[in-house]
Amino acid sequence: MAPILVRMSLLPILEYPDPRLRTVAREIDPAELDDAFRAHVDDMFETMYAAPGIGLAASQIDDHRRFMVIDVSEAHDQRRVFVNPRILSREGEQVCQEGCLSVPSIQADVTRAEKIVVTALDAHGAPFELAAEGLLAVCIQHEMDHLLGKLFIDYLSPLKRDMIKRKLSKQRRSAA
Ligand code: GNR
Ligand code: NI
């Protein structure tokens, strides 16, 4: 029987207010989409599932290339990779209570488009177009914000954001 090598690792996730989360990601040259890139994508999925989360932008693991991974399914069987994503159209509004692996234990309502059409490359460089609504649409918009250095708490009032900053630093002090 041929041996099967399984090589995976969990990646550390940057946490607010780490300034690296504010980096604007750079476009990926399709020539970069090699086996090493796809192994890295697998590590991101494992990191996301372990957290647990439904999406992870490269920015959150201190990789400032323009891509993200998403799986909103409960069975963890709908992996989607978006390289150089672009939103082609948006329609309607929805309010969703959001959380973020980079802002642990904080949740807040955010208003976003209800339906979007997004285009991107997959992990092999093949272009695709996807119409998304509901939670998938929320998650795509949340991850694309990360790629621009933006966090969901940026939509809240400065007062509320300051309260969150204090709560997180207090949490970290008691965890240390
Ligand atoms: O796991 C996550 N859940 C979630 C819930 C509502 C709206 C957005 C998200 S994304 C988040 C994972 C994350 O931080 N991705 O950047
Ligand atoms: Ni997030």
Side-chain angles (χ1 to χ4, degrees):
M1 218 164 48
I4 299 171
L5 261 177
V6 179
R7 198 199 36 62
M8 277 182 319
S9 48
L10 299 186
L11 309 164
I13 297 176
L14 300 181
E15 292 185 3
Y16 177 77
D18 192 311
R20 292 172 291 182
L21 286 168
R22 298 310 188 177
T23 310
V24 177
R26 66 159 179 86
E27 288 279 307
I28 299 182
D29 182 332
E32 296 174 57
L33 304 177
D34 55 8
D35 287 345
F37 176 81
R38 287 182 286 274
H40 183 60
V41 162
D42 286 344
D43 288 342
M44 281 178 61
F45 273 111
E46 294 316 317
T47 301
M48 180 191 87
Y49 291 136
I54 57 172
L56 189 66
S59 324
Q60 293 178 274
I61 52 147
D62 202 24
D63 177 346
H64 302 289
R65 294 176 292 177
R66 192 168 166 74
F67 75 102
M68 64 214 200
V69 302
I70 292 181
D71 185 348
V72 297
S73 75
E74 302 215 325
H76 294 177
D77 59 358
Q78 286 168 41
R79 294 184 180 215
R80 299 178 199 273
V81 181
F82 299 77
V83 173
N84 299 338
R86 269 193 312 132
I87 293 183
L88 298 178
S89 65
R90 350 169 110 76
E91 208 186 295
E93 279 192 356
Q94 62 178 321
V95 179
C96 176
Q97 181 168 290
E98 298 197 13
C100 182
L101 297 174
S102 296
V103 193
S105 76
I106 304 293
Q107 298 195 313
D109 283 352
V110 179
T111 304
R112 299 197 188 265
E114 163 62 19
K115 297 182 179 185
I116 58 171
V117 176
V118 60
T119 180
L121 303 180
D122 69 16
H124 292 271
F128 67 94
E129 200 177 294
L130 174 72
E133 59 182 75
L135 183 61
L136 178 58
V138 168
C139 192
I140 291 170
Q141 292 171 82
H142 175 114
E143 304 314 336
M144 286 182 70
D145 271 355
H146 275 300
L147 299 178
L148 294 173
K150 191 169 172 102
L151 302 172
F152 81 107
I153 52 173
D154 298 344
Y155 294 103
L156 310 179
S157 70
L159 179 70
K160 206 153 183 207
R161 202 159 50 244
D162 209 61
M163 283 169 50
I164 289 168
K165 205 185 226 169
R166 279 200 305 269
K167 182 175 168 185
L168 288 176
S169 73
K170 195 170 165 185
Q171 267 174 32
R172 269 193 281 276
R173 272 199 308 277
S174 65

